[in-house]
Amino acid sequence: MQTINLSDARTIIAAAEKKADEIGQPMNIAIVDTGGNLVAHVRQDGAWIGSVEISINKAWTARAFDIQTKDLGDNSQPGQQFFGINTVNDGKVTIFAGGVPLTRGDAVIGGLGVSGGSGEQDQAVALAGLDALAGE
């Protein structure tokens, strides 16, 4: 089974930090492996301490459901198929933008979660990290 390793996590985090610096928003950036276990986390100077757990939960959610948390959020609004999903798994499921599954080929090998800015900022930073893995 393929999974994310620490070297991969460092590459992803470096790209995500670079994007966060470019947009001027300190972020929490978390990487989980295939099993949803934390591999690495960075809290940039000035990033909200309240976003540490949110970033980790976004990474876990992206891996647990193999979907971007932004898309899960869109599908969990009232009347949508996943309405209420954020109440399961002891509230660990996070439906804010900024969580993305990490893939290598067709295999999901982990998850990335970013928190500390607006949804758009979190998503942009997450996608920058995702692009770094794709470009390896």
Side-chain angles (χ1 to χ4, degrees):
M1 173 188 297
Q2 292 188 46
T3 192
I4 198 83
N5 61 39
L6 185 56
S7 177
D8 293 330
R10 287 179 172 150
T11 297
I12 294 163
I13 287 172
E17 284 187 292
K18 181 179 177 191
K19 181 66 173 181
D21 291 344
E22 287 173 7
I23 65 174
Q25 182 61 52
M27 296 285 188
N28 285 278
I29 305 159
I31 309 285
V32 300
D33 64 15
T34 305
N37 302 297
L38 186 64
V39 174
H41 177 270
V42 167
R43 178 177 164 261
Q44 290 187 294
D45 292 342
W48 297 329
I49 59 171
S51 288
V52 171
E53 188 172 344
I54 294 170
S55 67
I56 295 168
N57 287 347
K58 284 181 183 183
W60 181 87
T61 300
R63 172 55 194 112
F65 296 100
D66 298 340
I67 188 173
Q68 291 192 19
T69 55
K70 177 187 178 305
D71 296 335
L72 187 61
D74 292 343
N75 285 293
S76 63
Q77 299 307 305
Q80 298 297 316
Q81 64 180 336
F82 297 127
F83 179 67
I85 197 167
N86 58 306
T87 65
V88 302
N89 294 312
D90 295 320
K92 191 173 184 177
V93 176
T94 306
I95 57 172
F96 310 131
V100 296
L102 298 171
T103 58
R104 184 168 284 131
D106 292 334
V108 178
I109 61 169
L112 163 61
V114 176
S115 185
S118 68
E120 287 179 0
Q121 291 171 323
D122 291 356
Q123 187 72 12
V125 172
L127 292 176
L130 185 61
D131 287 347
L133 181 62
E136 61 180 358

